[in-house]
Every structure is written in structure tokens, then in C-alpha cells.
Amino acid sequence: MNNLLRSPEIIAKFLKINKVDTVFGLCGGHIMPIWMELDKAGIRIIDTRDERAAVFMAHSYSEFSGKIGVALVTAGPGLTNALTGIANAHISRVPLLVISGTPPIFQENRGALQDINHVEIVKSVTRYSKTVRHESLIVNEMNQAFYHALGIIGESGPSFIEFPTNVLRTKVNISQIFKEFYEPIVKTFPLPENSKVMDLLNLLNSSKRILLISGRGARRCNANLSQFLEKFKVLYLDTAESKGIIDEDHENFVPSMRSKVMETSDLIITLCRKLDFQLAYGSPAIFGNAKFVRISDTPTEISHNRRGEIELVADPKIILDQLIELSDVSKLSTDKIWFEDIKNKHKERKEKYSNILKDSKNGTDGRMHPNKIVHAINAILPKKNIVIADGGDFLSFCRVGVNANRYLDPGPFGCLGVGLPFGIGAKIADPESHVFVLTGDGSFGFTAIELDTLVRHKVPIIIIVANNGSWGIEVRDQIDNYGKVVGTKLQFSDYSLMAKSFGLHSVKVDKSENLEKEIINALDKKPALIDVEVTQEAVSADAKSGLAIVPDLQALETWDEKEKKFRDIEN
């Protein structure tokens, strides 16, 4: 009986046991033994044109499959190319495993080909980063990498593990591998403390104006969340990482009243959400004297920038279930006038905004307004859809206006170029959903070569490029604050011709009346790209907010002024 396994066999076996069926990567000599073994084991390899895109795809795959995303990149520039994707996943707390190779141990630090200290490079943007220097430790180290990536140990995010090529050429006696390391790794969540749940129930009953803001961990409990909002008369805001988990028609969902409801609530519940720049860091300058309740399955989210009157680290789904079971409408203290006023004003603004999307005028250059793309997409979105938004200026229009079931964008790292790779990863994770990538032309350029990957792997998605021939937000910043445009204009390139050269169905659209028809046509001809020329004159909400000038105390100019006033700081 053969008791020996080759190192790459051990790696592939571990991944298979943990339900990894797809790996994204770009091949190279330092990882070739792993690459070929994954193929032999029946793990699908999506080979990309750039390592950054491979990590982006693994990121999106993780988000929409609920499983860990895996990227395989070669040594040296393979790893450094991947670094932006790793950093983006780190900031967004997405479970990833990035595997790489390194020169043989004997050649280490002697000037070998592609020899650089990978672990030191990625240490600040990974949860776990190790070089496996002995074959008997492969399963142990991969186990640790999974535990950290999934957030079983600490906060979820990317793990990095690499293998010297000489280690990949060795064999291991299976007696050296403890059986428990070959058991599937499953993340479980702690149960809530009953006394804290009761304290929260009392606080909910005594509070008059309650707002809940959701984050990524809330995705697991959308049905429970909807029922909780209704039972306790709680108003609701999502964030980019939780967009779509509550239906946009839910009567307690009031995104158009974001500033008002944040400023006037007396109790703020953060459900699996940090208080980062998008939420004014929880500052009293914005939230006034409101009390905070912090609920999360991740301890690091509980005390981020503000402590809570009540802090619960537990499975949010169970917490909401228990509160729903204990609810008694007769004990609520809801400020009904405030509650109804916010909802009614949101409905008015929502209807007004819908008309704005539909009626947005062309620019003086004759090109259409980006809102026309958003309106057309909303009109034809199939019931089961995923929308990926990418860009600076165009992202702002999409984030506010698109009615997606599920949604992903660059996230708090502001990492442009994710659109096309995210779309590929999303479709592979969920083949039944219609995937739309809405991207600005600048951001599209970062990873446009992945059109080749899209076609080779037959991934049927639709890409719409909002082509305004510029870096829109930066142009607006330069015009408003410097009086001169420098290095922020692009060409009005024909991206439909580029897509056609790769074998996609593609079309260029310059009239809004043709747009919806062309999108419907593309649904039957995927993969497809639609290049839409839009006016440079459109000004997004983010451009108006002062986001580009990076104010001193807060992300937005209006918040920055309030923060200065709160801290009694002169301009």
C-alpha cells in the first residue's frame, strides 16, 4: 500500500475537502505543480490575464457563493501584481486564500529568479501569512490560513500561504497528517447572552426614534431583519456592503432621508457594520446625542469608533429572532409623527428621483446623462440579478439609483478596476443570476483585458461602459477648486470595437431612446458589452459632496463643517 502523497496532492485534497471547486489565477513556474494537481483533482481553474484580476474574481466569488475565494499566483511580480486585490479584500473583510510559490529554500536570499520576501510584503494586508518550509506542515498551515480567512480566529479577510518549489517536489507519509486536519472547516457563531438581549429589548421599547444601519454580516438574516424592522417600528439604512438585502420598496427603508434620519434618531443600531467614513465615524456632530447599540458576529466591529450602550457579539440572526419572539407592540414608545414623516418624505423624494432618472437631459455636447443608463437598467432588470458597479463618478450615480437584488462595488478601499473581474466572479459563483457590470470608462481600463478571460471561459454577463472620456470627479474638483483641468481627460475611445475584437457581442449607443432596446437585445447575446457615450457635464452626488478634496475631519464637506463646529475649530 502506498502511504506517500506528493505535496501538491495534499494541497488539492485539502481544498476539495473544504468545498473549493474553483480557483482563479495566472500560471507560473513556481506554482506549476499545484496548478496541474488542481486540474487533476477536478478543481476548475479560471486563468486570468493579470493577477490583480484573479484576486478580484476570487473576492467576488466569495461574496456571492458564501464560500472562501481562492487565488493562485506565481512568485515575485505575480504576487506584487496581486497585492492591490489582496488589500481590497483586507479592507472589505472578504474571506480569501491566496496561494503562491517561492524559490527553493537553498536559493533563498541568494538572488534567485523572482526571489523577494512575499510574507513581509503582504503581512499588513492579510490575516495570516506564512511560508510552508516543510512538507509535513502543509495541512496544519493551510488549516490555520482557513481559520483566519473565515474569521474563526479574528476578523475575516485574506490569508496568504506560499510553498518553496523544493517543498512542492517532496512526498509526505500520510501517517504524519493528523486526521482532524482533513475534516471540513465550518464557521459557527456564538449564542447571545440572554441578559443582554433583555436589556436591548427594554432599550428598544423605551426609545422613540430608532434607526438600524446594516453591514456585510447582515446578509445572512434578511428575512429576520425585515420582520424586526416592522415589529419594532425601526427605520432602516443600508450601506454598499448590504445593498439589496432589504427590498427597496420596504416601507421602513428610507435612503433618500439618510442625513435627516441619522441626525434625528435617538437610538442607532449598527448590525454587523463598522462606523467608518461612510457613517461619519459615528460622530456626535452628525448623530447628535443618540445612543448606540452595536451588534455583530465579529468582535472588531463592536467598538469601532463608538462604544455601544449595549454590545452583543453573537449570531445576528438569532438575536433578531429572539427579539421578534419577545416583541410586544403595546410597550413601544415610537414617535409616530417622526416615524411617518420620515417615511412620507422618503416616498416623495423617491418618486421625484425616479422622474429625475427618466427625464435627465442631455448635455450641451449632445451626449446623454448617466442617469439614463440607471433608468434603463432599472426598467429591464430580470428578477434574479446581480449588479456590479465600478468607477468614481459613475459609481455615485449607480449606488444611489440602481435597484439591484444583490450588489457589489469597489467598497471602502475605493479600488477602481474591480468591475469586470467582479462580474466574472459573481457569475461563476451564481450561474442562475443575470449579472450586469456598470462601469465608468476610466475604471474599465484597469482590467479591460479580462474580456479575453470572459470569452475563453464562456461567462455570459453584460458590461455597460459609461464613457465620458474623463476621470469625472477629478475633473470637477479641478474646475471648481483650481480653475484648470490637468491630466484628467481621456479619449472617447470605442470600447465596443475592443470588445468585438475579443469575440463579444458589442454595440455603441449614443441615443438614450436606443439604450433599453440594446440592453434587452444583449440579454440574448451574452457575453455582451454596450459602450454608452455620456456627457462630461453631469455632476454626481459624490462630486458635489467634496469627496475628492479629502476634507480634514470628515469625508464629506457638509459633515466636515459640522465636525469643525462640534469641535469648535475655526476654518
Side-chain angles (χ1 to χ4, degrees):
M1 179 179 177
N2 186 4
N3 290 326
L4 298 178
L5 285 177
R6 291 177 296 107
S7 295
E9 286 183 279
I10 298 171
I11 296 167
K13 184 177 179 182
F14 181 89
L15 294 176
K16 289 279 283 187
I17 287 170
N18 283 286
K19 296 182 171 56
V20 174
D21 54 22
T22 306
V23 169
F24 303 87
L26 205 163
C27 198
H30 291 84
I31 57 171
M32 190 65 76
I34 303 172
W35 188 276
M36 300 308 293
E37 193 61 42
L38 296 184
D39 177 70
K40 185 178 177 182
I43 293 174
R44 183 183 185 186
I45 296 175
I46 304 296
D47 57 304
T48 65
R49 295 292 300 270
D50 182 86
E51 289 88 355
R52 170 179 49 176
V55 180
F56 287 157
M57 290 178 199
H59 175 140
S60 179
Y61 178 86
S62 176
E63 293 279 53
F64 292 108
S65 70
K67 300 190 288 187
I68 193 168
V70 180
L72 179 58
V73 301
T74 198
L79 184 277
T80 56
N81 285 347
L83 190 59
T84 297
I86 296 171
N88 192 45
H90 160 70
I91 296 296
S92 294
R93 310 186 301 286
V94 176
L96 290 187
L97 176 64
V98 180
I99 302 172
S100 189
T102 189
I105 292 172
F106 182 77
Q107 299 183 43
E108 190 175 24
N109 297 324
R110 300 180 67 198
L113 174 67
Q114 298 183 334
D115 185 19
I116 193 169
N117 194 329
H118 297 155
V119 169
E120 284 300 315
I121 290 172
V122 303
K123 186 177 286 184
S124 68
V125 290
T126 53
R127 303 297 183 264
Y128 189 80
S129 54
K130 285 293 171 70
T131 304
V132 182
R133 298 184 181 277
H134 196 276
E135 57 273 16
S136 65
L137 297 175
I138 291 173
V139 175
N140 183 47
E141 290 292 357
M142 292 193 72
N143 194 77
Q144 286 293 307
F146 260 66
Y147 265 68
H148 283 82
L150 292 169
I152 298 171
I153 300 173
E155 190 174 42
S156 61
S159 284
F160 174 78
I161 193 166
E162 65 177 2
F163 303 90
T165 52
N166 64 295
V167 172
L168 293 175
R169 286 189 278 267
T170 59
K171 295 182 179 180
V172 183
N173 192 305
I174 59 175
S175 65
Q176 297 179 35
I177 302 173
F178 299 140
K179 288 182 179 179
E180 65 265 26
F181 285 135
Y182 269 146
E183 291 297 318
I185 298 168
V186 179
K187 183 176 181 178
T188 56
F189 300 95
L191 296 173
E193 297 177 45
N194 289 334
S195 61
K196 285 193 173 184
V197 173
M198 292 307 298
D199 289 342
L200 177 52
L201 178 66
N202 292 332
L203 184 56
L204 288 167
N205 286 336
S206 63
S207 298
K208 296 181 178 180
R209 300 181 299 278
I210 309 172
L211 169 65
L212 186 144
I213 305 171
S214 64
R216 57 177 293 107
R219 295 174 188 169
R220 295 189 305 106
C221 47
N222 54 343
N224 316 64
L225 177 56
S226 180
Q227 196 175 355
F228 170 82
L229 298 174
E230 294 160 11
K231 287 276 188 182
F232 286 93
K233 308 296 182 188
V234 174
L235 295 181
Y236 173 72
L237 294 177
D238 64 3
T239 53
E241 60 189 47
S242 59
K243 185 177 175 68
I245 66 170
I246 292 294
D247 191 272
E248 62 129 11
D249 291 326
H250 193 292
E251 64 173 13
N252 292 17
F253 182 33
V254 291
S256 69
M257 295 296 290
R258 193 175 201 86
S259 294
K260 183 70 173 178
V261 74
M262 285 167 64
E263 292 172 2
T264 58
S265 297
D266 63 0
L267 180 63
I268 308 293
I269 303 170
T270 61
L271 186 66
C272 305
R273 189 60 166 84
K274 288 186 174 183
L275 288 166
D276 62 8
F277 75 94
Q278 298 168 90
L279 295 173
Y281 309 111
S283 172
I286 311 304
F287 288 96
N289 295 320
K291 296 176 181 178
F292 280 81
V293 168
R294 312 299 303 273
I295 300 172
S296 182
D297 52 21
T298 304
T300 51
E301 289 179 341
I302 291 297
S303 61
H304 189 253
N305 283 318
R306 292 291 298 269
R307 293 289 306 274
E309 295 278 325
I310 297 170
E311 299 170 345
L312 270 164
V313 181
D315 187 333
K317 188 175 180 181
I318 293 176
I319 294 170
L320 294 178
D321 278 344
Q322 290 183 352
L323 290 168
I324 291 165
E325 184 69 26
L326 294 166
S327 65
D328 182 348
V329 67
S330 68
K331 294 182 179 179
L332 296 179
S333 305
T334 308
D335 181 340
K336 294 179 182 177
I337 295 175
W338 172 85
F339 185 69
E340 294 300 328
D341 184 57
I342 295 285
K343 291 197 299 180
N344 289 334
K345 285 180 177 174
H346 164 68
K347 288 177 184 176
E348 291 171 11
R349 288 189 178 183
K350 182 181 175 183
E351 186 175 346
K352 182 179 178 182
Y353 186 68
S354 178
N355 290 329
I356 288 172
L357 290 178
K358 181 176 63 174
D359 300 330
S360 292
K361 304 298 182 186
N362 291 350
T364 58
D365 56 4
R367 295 186 173 99
M368 76 177 77
H369 196 287
N371 277 336
K372 290 289 190 179
I373 299 176
V374 176
H375 174 70
I377 283 292
N378 286 342
I380 63 91
L381 268 179
K383 187 172 183 180
K384 194 170 184 184
N385 66 73
I386 294 173
V387 173
I388 308 295
D390 188 17
D393 216 36
F394 186 53
L395 170 63
S396 179
F397 291 106
C398 294
R399 187 180 62 243
V400 174
V402 172
N403 302 328
N405 288 145
R406 290 188 290 170
Y407 173 89
L408 191 61
D409 68 21
F413 196 46
C415 188
L416 302 192
V418 299
L420 179 52
F422 272 10
I424 294 171
K427 184 63 177 179
I428 291 170
D430 185 359
E432 300 304 314
S433 285
H434 294 272
V435 176
F436 294 81
V437 175
L438 310 181
T439 177
D441 55 331
S443 53
F444 178 66
F446 282 109
T447 52
I449 194 65
E450 300 306 328
L451 290 174
D452 175 64
T453 306
L454 180 77
V455 173
R456 284 186 293 107
H457 289 279
K458 299 179 173 60
V459 183
I461 65 175
I462 293 176
I463 306 115
I464 299 178
V465 181
N467 185 354
N468 69 354
S470 69
W471 300 101
I473 287 182
E474 283 69 28
V475 169
R476 182 57 50 185
D477 179 27
Q478 289 178 344
I479 290 172
D480 291 346
N481 297 301
Y482 299 92
K484 185 179 181 182
V485 175
V486 181
T488 53
K489 288 292 184 76
L490 305 171
Q491 299 182 78
F492 278 95
S493 301
D494 192 333
Y495 297 106
S496 67
L497 286 178
M498 180 185 184
K500 199 180 296 289
S501 74
F502 284 108
L504 282 83
H505 166 77
S506 62
V507 64
K508 193 173 184 68
V509 176
D510 55 12
K511 290 184 171 58
S512 59
E513 55 266 31
N514 297 333
L515 183 56
E516 189 174 325
K517 178 187 72 175
E518 292 296 351
I519 298 173
I520 293 170
N521 187 38
L523 284 169
D524 295 323
K525 297 181 179 180
K526 296 176 287 191
L529 182 143
I530 302 172
D531 181 359
V532 185
E533 286 198 4
V534 296
T535 181
Q536 294 179 352
E537 298 166 15
V539 183
S540 69
D542 282 352
K544 293 175 184 176
S545 72
L547 189 69
I549 68 171
V550 194
D552 292 342
L553 304 178
Q554 289 283 354
L556 309 181
E557 278 189 299
T558 53
W559 287 356
D560 193 62
E561 290 303 315
K562 290 180 179 181
E563 190 73 33
K564 287 175 180 176
K565 185 176 180 181
F566 173 72
R567 295 177 182 272
D568 197 24
I569 297 174
E570 294 295 330
N571 289 330

